[in-house]
């Protein structure tokens, strides 16, 4: 069992920056992937970025070069640094966890989400 708690979402102006945090607890050892997804009003949830247990990363094209995912293993926390924010980045951002590799399996555990609102 894994528990995830996101924080850091708030209202920010376009062009600004924000850092989201996801604190994980429980059975988080071994090969696994942690990721960020987001869901805007009226839209389906979409993948944003992922990082595996050895810090390999991948990103959605829409956020590449603007967002950076990282992790602090000592704190069992994953971060999403978001720069050059755009109004279309407005969404509820969710942290997710799965065992195994990036290309296999489904995300089994999800946080409660944190709201990011980017004003124009």
């Amino acid at each position: 069992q894994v528990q995830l708690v996101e924080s850091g979402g708030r209202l920010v102006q376009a062009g600004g920056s924000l850092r989201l945090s996801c604190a994980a607890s429980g059975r988080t050892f071994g090969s696994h992937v942690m990721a960020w997804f987001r869901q805007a009003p009226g839209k389906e949830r979409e993948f944003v970025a992922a990082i595996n247990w050895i810090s390999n990363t991948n990103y959605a094209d829409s956020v590449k070069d603007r967002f950076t995912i990282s992790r602090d293993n000592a704190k069992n926390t994953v971060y999403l640094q978001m720069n050059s924010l755009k109004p279309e980045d407005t969404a509820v951002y969710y942290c997710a966890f799965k065992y195994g590799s990036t290309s296999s399996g489904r995300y089994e555990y999800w946080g409660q989400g944190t709201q990011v609102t980017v004003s124009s």
Side-chain angles (χ1 to χ4, degrees):
Q1 193 79 355
V2 174
Q3 295 78 42
L4 304 170
V5 179
E6 304 100 331
S7 61
R10 61 175 175 87
L11 174 65
V12 62
Q13 287 191 331
S17 297
L18 205 55
R19 189 178 81 159
L20 305 182
S21 300
C22 173
S25 60
R27 188 179 168 273
T28 60
F29 49 87
S31 58
H32 64 270
V33 183
M34 292 185 70
W36 289 96
F37 289 76
R38 66 186 181 186
Q39 187 166 21
K43 295 188 176 181
E44 292 188 356
R45 186 166 56 193
E46 65 174 0
F47 169 79
V48 175
I51 185 166
N52 70 5
W53 74 103
I54 52 174
S55 296
N56 293 323
T57 61
N58 64 296
Y59 298 89
D61 288 342
S62 59
V63 306
K64 207 173 291 186
D65 300 327
R66 296 190 300 124
F67 291 9
T68 302
I69 190 170
S70 62
R71 62 186 301 152
D72 183 333
N73 290 330
K75 296 182 179 179
N76 241 4
T77 299
V78 169
Y79 303 98
L80 184 68
Q81 177 67 42
M82 306 186 292
N83 299 327
S84 302
L85 282 162
K86 305 174 182 180
E88 51 264 44
D89 294 318
T90 294
V92 177
Y93 283 70
Y94 296 93
C95 181
F97 177 101
K98 65 175 177 179
Y99 297 106
S101 66
T102 305
S103 58
S104 66
R106 297 174 61 183
Y107 287 92
E108 303 168 72
Y109 301 99
W110 295 83
Q112 81 288 351
T114 186
Q115 176 71 48
V116 172
T117 303
V118 183
S119 64
S120 56

